[in-house]
Amino acid sequence: MSAYADARAGIHIGPVHFWHPEHTLAVTDLPERATLPEARDRQLLSLGIDRVRVAGGLTETDLAERAALGVLADSGTDPADLDGLLLVQGRAPEYLMASEATRLQHRIGATRALTLGVGDLGCVSSSAAIEIGAALLRGRGGPGRILVAMGVRAAATARYRPPMTVLGDCGAAFLLTTGDDDSGGVLSASGGDTVGGAPYTSGGHTVGAAPYTSGSGGPYTPGDDTAGGAPRPGGGRAARYRLLGQELRSDGRYADLFRIRYRELPPERWAEECADENAYSFQLAIESRNRLRDLNAELLRRCATTQDELAAVVMQNLSMGAFAFWQDALGLKIADVCRDNLAGHGHLGPADVLMNLESLAPSVPAGGKVLVMNSSPVAAWCTALVERLPD
């Protein structure tokens, strides 16, 4: 599947808002270290991850709601004006048969938004949401705004996903708009995101703390289903990037390479399992190299862009070893913000590429092109080309 920008305006991405839990857990303090074999423990400590944020009792919907309200406030958008709401679904819903997408719709007050859940592709689900959102906006034939939100949290008790990474928690949300209906306004003075929890600085990208209220006007309460919406200040943050093109592919041969058996086990005994580490470390690694190489070449050809013209390249955050592999395999320099965010947050699943894009934004000049690579062991691959918009 592929999407390419309309030459007149295209699809704009941003602003992006993150909400990070206050509680921080150092990788050296992970409880599962007590039961890891020595070789596995050394592997864990060599990933390049220092700490992760922990959501505690917050659900994925809670995290998505906090980020969604934040981006609506950032952009000066009334939730009732949204044309669409896409929830990037988590891996462990709170209830079977219930709708987390429409729960989020009710909580933020997006009363007229076409509401859908997008998931099942792991990290690449955020790229799939952009693909679907862009198609919906183009199908409207006029101005439109779609909110994409996600709550990311570890499904199992252990945060170490051997042999690849350590999982962190966060909420993330961003707007997709047509070029003739951008959020407009001015950026905040810091040029960074406003999020809950403790301040975190990475690669010059400052994430601060600012309280906000739920639609009822009172303090946010996890699990509160009171319909509401974000406060709408005068003006708002402008979109960050224009989508020039995107290519997305998947391969069901790896559909359950990573899995959690849950039907026969209580949640406290859930554990992420890799069905075949050799298949992951070698077979899928080679497959992913070939897929991303071909997708990059096709995307750049269609967008009449060469690798030398790229301002930067970002991808999802797994480990320092993964960055080294991809740089060598594809001949591309991965931006340093990816390493910074890996160290400070670990792997945030579908939110990784969004955080890296937002962290990178202050250093990319208007008109600069950024290549975004995203992949998942399910397996799915996506590569996108975006252009930095003027502030």
Side-chain angles (χ1 to χ4, degrees), residues 82 146 193 217 268 278 335:
L82 290 172
I146 291 178
D193 283 327
E268 61 271 16
N278 284 330

Side-chain angles (χ1 to χ4, degrees), residues 11-12 14-15 71-86 110 112-115 133-134 136-138 140 142-148 174-185 232-233 235-239:
I11 304 300
H12 290 187
V71 80
L72 292 171
D74 283 352
S75 62
T77 299
D78 188 325
D81 290 339
L82 290 172
D83 300 294
L85 170 63
L86 301 179
R112 57 176 289 271
L114 171 66
T115 301
L136 290 172
L137 286 172
R138 293 189 182 109
R140 287 178 56 82
R145 297 185 183 191
I146 291 178
L147 175 66
V148 180
F174 62 95
L175 285 177
L176 290 173
T177 58
T178 51
D180 47 4
D181 186 30
D182 186 35
S183 301
R232 187 170 187 177
R237 290 181 49 207

Side-chain angles (χ1 to χ4, degrees), residues 282-338:
F282 298 102
Q283 183 178 337
L284 182 57
I286 298 303
E287 176 83 8
S288 296
R289 179 200 65 186
N290 295 341
R291 291 278 192 155
L292 286 175
R293 179 195 61 202
D294 294 346
L295 289 177
N296 289 349
E298 176 66 12
L299 176 70
L300 294 178
R301 183 189 67 79
R302 286 180 180 250
C303 294
T305 302
T306 66
Q307 285 194 18
D308 292 341
E309 294 177 276
L310 297 174
V313 178
V314 298
M315 65 184 309
Q316 82 270 29
N317 306 329
L318 294 176
S319 69
M320 293 296 288
F323 291 140
F325 170 81
W326 289 116
Q327 288 191 152
D328 181 64
L330 299 175
L332 296 168
K333 170 69 168 65
I334 307 301
D336 289 337
V337 295
C338 299

